[in-house]
Amino acid sequence: MLILGIDTSCDDTSASVVEERKILSNIVSSQIKFHSKYGGIVPEIASRKHIEWIWDVTESALNEAKVGLKDIDLVAVCQGPGLIGSLLVGLCFTKALSFASKKPIIGVNHLEAHIQAVFLEEKSPDFPFLSLIVSGGHTSLYRVEDFGKYKEIGRTRDDAAGEAYDKIAKMLGLSYPGGPFIDALAKEGDPEKYKLPKPFLHGSFDFSFSGLKTAIKVLLKNLNIQEGNPPEDFRKDLSASFQSVMVEVLIEKIKLALNEQRLKRAVITGGVAANSELRKQAKNLEKEGFEVYLPSKALCTDNAAMIGIAGFHKFQRGERSDLFLNARAYLPL
Ligand code: KG4
Ligand code: ZN
């Protein structure tokens, strides 16, 4: 069965063809250069770029997979959560494709797709497992019983982990999105240099990262360092110090949740799961007897192949959408 997946939930225009669990193509067209000078995503620009690019990106996905629209058995589209204007572009486009080509359509939750990205890899987990989604918009822990069976056991009460990375990067004068820059700088810095508060929220699987942001603001002020223009050494040491606290909290919560939920497998996914230190420490959990699954970096960040596979599994369980399918900025799993 061939599935065409479409994702326009934020700032990446993406289309992919998957043959059930096998990726035939996965085109991701990044808009970053149009947003970075504003220090974050400008929703209006994102929607307009999606409109400009969606057809070409979809054609490239079909061409790279060496198939035509006539060969596709199902079109799957991200319905939410995400930026409403961006989502609507993907949705209207996919509904038009479905109508014109008489192919069935299915709406997919972006978070379900992030979790299912791991099933596009050669090595994928058995059920049940724990899943941590760490991205620019979400930091949530789920107990996953089966495809379509998710129970949220924790979530961020304020900033998402990726949002914290991006906001702190901005204070350090780094471009948007800041996660990859902090990741690189941290390798050259001293993680012990600045003692930052560890936001743990004991007795809960929730997260809170906004205090870290405030602590760094205060540190800059106390050291008389101008926000957005710190010296290079400070950038490196602060990146290392911030990242070490962030990764420590994420890893400790995963471990606690695995033990409390009596689970032995963890899947870590979403953009921040591309972080090198998080990946290294997550793999270390295997020494303690847990199984850890991390999709490849390209499948951790937003892409349409994950929409395709999640759409495939929904279709298999008998779910169907129709042309009344609508976009939802907030869409819980
Ligand atoms: O999943 P994603 O592509 O989009 C959302 O659904 O949000 O995640 C984007 C987020 C951004 O905040 C970005 O800074 C962060 O993932 N990110 C990273 C790394 N690569 C991307 N954060 C830390 N280290 C990285 N290497
Ligand atoms: Zn995402």
Side-chain angles (χ1 to χ4, degrees), residues 173-229:
L174 304 169
S175 296
Y176 179 87
F181 293 107
I182 292 191
D183 192 359
L185 283 167
K187 292 193 173 89
E188 297 173 49
D190 172 7
E192 307 279 326
K193 177 87 187 192
Y194 299 107
K195 289 270 166 284
L196 297 169
K198 183 173 144 193
F200 200 71
L201 301 183
H202 290 275
S204 160
F205 292 119
D206 284 352
F207 301 88
S208 167
F209 298 115
S210 66
L212 258 177
K213 193 179 59 193
T214 313
I216 292 171
K217 238 184 193 330
V218 172
L219 180 71
L220 282 163
K221 196 160 177 263
N222 290 346
L223 295 177
N224 247 332
I225 293 175
Q226 192 194 346
E227 218 177 275
N229 192 22

Side-chain angles (χ1 to χ4, degrees), residues 110 114 135-137 162 165-166 177-180 183 270-272 274-275 300-302:
H110 187 80
H114 267 305
S135 69
Y165 264 99
D166 296 338
D183 192 359
V272 181
N275 183 266
C300 282
T301 47
D302 287 351

Side-chain angles (χ1 to χ4, degrees), residues 133-186:
I133 303 181
V134 258
S135 69
H138 296 87
T139 303
S140 302
L141 275 167
Y142 296 91
R143 182 186 172 94
V144 183
E145 290 295 343
D146 201 346
F147 294 119
K149 288 197 180 146
Y150 312 96
K151 184 173 170 239
E152 187 186 273
I153 58 169
R155 57 154 62 208
T156 181
R157 295 186 188 169
D158 40 58
D159 293 351
E163 198 179 344
Y165 264 99
D166 296 338
K167 287 179 175 169
I168 287 157
K170 199 174 174 181
M171 289 188 223
L172 295 181
L174 304 169
S175 296
Y176 179 87
F181 293 107
I182 292 191
D183 192 359
L185 283 167

Side-chain angles (χ1 to χ4, degrees), residues 258 263-265 284-292:
L258 283 167
L263 292 169
K264 60 171 190 173
R265 305 175 196 97
N284 279 343
L285 288 174
E286 295 195 330
K287 292 185 194 138
E288 298 178 42
F290 299 113
E291 288 172 31
V292 177

